[in-house]
Amino acid sequence: MSTQNTDLAGRPRRLHAVRRATHARPALAALHTNVRRQAMPQTLGLIGSGMIGSSVARLAVAAGLEVVLSNSRGPETLADLVADLGELARAATPAEAARAGDLVVVAIPLKACEHLPAEALAGKTVLDTANYYPERDGHLAELDAGELTSSALLQRHLAASQVVKAFNNITPHQLFSLARPTGAPDRSALPIAGDDPGAKAGAARLLDVIGYDAVDIGTLATSWRSEPNTPVYVQPYLGEMPAMSMEDFFRWTLQTPGIVVPAAQVGKLIETAVRRPAGEARIPNDD
């Protein structure tokens, strides 16, 4: 399989599926006004431009933010996506995207995080979308034992950055299709977690600008409350899901615009979370 058609985990790229999404376009048009009302940085760096990364990029561009995209294969492999996103987007290396971004979204598999440009990310707020899937990432003893969360592990690697867990509990198409302007009655919320209050405030502003309320669920040590195997992970945004293979699941998610999950519901789901052994869930959000 050509590397131009695979993501950082070696899975087939499905960007075309998100590119053709139409459910959210009327709502996205209203997002352009958000960025003018907020004290929001104007440039978003993205390290990883697969399904989650490209959905975040599309929402950011719709809100009037500049985006600097990157992946592990080189800027030239992002030419089609950049052309599709328009004049507010450009491609760069991961280090360049890290330096350019006022905020930086890291949307890569956990196993690839050791290759992040830590020096270029120093002093930055880093939004971590990753989940721990041992079948993909390999078993990590500290995560298997519950001694750390995956975001706490990333924070240890990025000691000079401020990590915030975000975008990890929703599938790519629903992240795109459920976005709504500030104050919309059918607005959904997403959980965030982090150790730095200022970094979390910045992450919450970004979520607001691109179409979501944010629910602060605590520190990185408690970020497990939005990880796989918890009540707020994936299913609330999709509803009842029939039993199916992973490939069928991703195809199925493209057929539904998703279900609105407001902040109050997210809060209740977070409260009912019980920590279970890491890595048992089989349906990823596809970093």
Side-chain angles (χ1 to χ4, degrees), residues 38-57:
Q38 301 289 333
M40 181 67 217
Q42 295 295 300
T43 302
L44 184 67
L46 287 124
I47 299 178
S49 300
M51 293 183 71
I52 288 290
S54 64
S55 289
V56 173

Side-chain angles (χ1 to χ4, degrees), residues 5-259:
N5 294 316
T6 59
D7 64 13
L8 282 169
R11 293 183 298 266
R13 295 174 69 197
R14 303 183 184 90
L15 295 179
H16 63 283
V18 178
R19 184 178 298 134
R20 291 198 301 264
T22 59
H23 298 293
R25 284 178 182 165
L28 289 180
L31 293 180
H32 283 285
T33 60
N34 278 3
V35 72
R36 297 180 177 86
R37 292 198 303 267
Q38 301 289 333
M40 181 67 217
Q42 295 295 300
T43 302
L44 184 67
L46 287 124
I47 299 178
S49 300
M51 293 183 71
I52 288 290
S54 64
S55 289
V56 173
R58 292 180 191 287
L59 293 173
V61 165
L65 299 178
E66 295 183 357
V67 298
V68 182
L69 300 149
S70 68
N71 62 16
S72 63
R73 299 179 300 278
E76 65 281 358
T77 67
L78 295 169
D80 288 347
L81 179 57
V82 168
D84 194 48
L85 290 171
E87 62 182 13
L88 290 177
R90 65 182 176 92
T93 67
E96 289 167 344
R99 293 189 180 97
D102 297 304
L103 295 176
V104 182
V105 174
V106 171
I108 61 177
L110 183 62
K111 68 177 182 179
C113 286
E114 63 183 26
H115 302 299
L116 287 169
E119 182 177 351
L121 289 166
K124 303 280 186 175
T125 293
V126 176
L127 277 64
D128 170 32
T129 76
N131 289 307
Y132 173 46
Y133 305 113
E135 67 272 20
R136 179 194 66 187
D137 302 315
H139 280 278
L140 301 171
E142 291 172 299
L143 301 188
D144 288 342
E147 297 171 3
L148 286 178
T149 62
S150 60
S151 289
L153 187 67
L154 179 61
Q155 179 67 83
R156 189 169 69 185
H157 176 60
L158 301 178
S161 305
Q162 294 78 46
V163 173
V164 178
K165 189 80 164 184
F167 301 121
N168 69 298
N169 71 311
I170 188 169
T171 42
H173 180 67
Q174 281 59 51
L175 174 60
F176 184 78
S177 65
L178 287 171
R180 299 292 186 273
T182 304
D186 59 343
R187 203 178 207 215
S188 290
L190 295 171
I192 61 172
D195 295 340
D196 184 280
K200 284 196 287 188
R205 286 194 295 272
L206 174 64
L207 262 66
D208 185 30
V209 164
I210 68 172
Y212 287 88
D213 293 330
V215 177
D216 186 344
I217 66 171
T219 66
L220 296 179
T222 60
S223 63
W224 62 265
R225 291 182 175 274
S226 68
E227 291 180 345
N229 262 341
T230 61
V232 80
Y233 179 75
V234 174
Q235 185 169 3
Y237 303 90
L238 289 171
E240 291 298 319
M241 298 181 290
M244 65 188 95
S245 69
M246 192 70 71
E247 288 299 316
D248 287 342
F249 168 76
F250 279 115
R251 283 194 291 269
W252 178 78
T253 65
L254 296 175
Q255 305 306 311
T256 175
I259 295 174

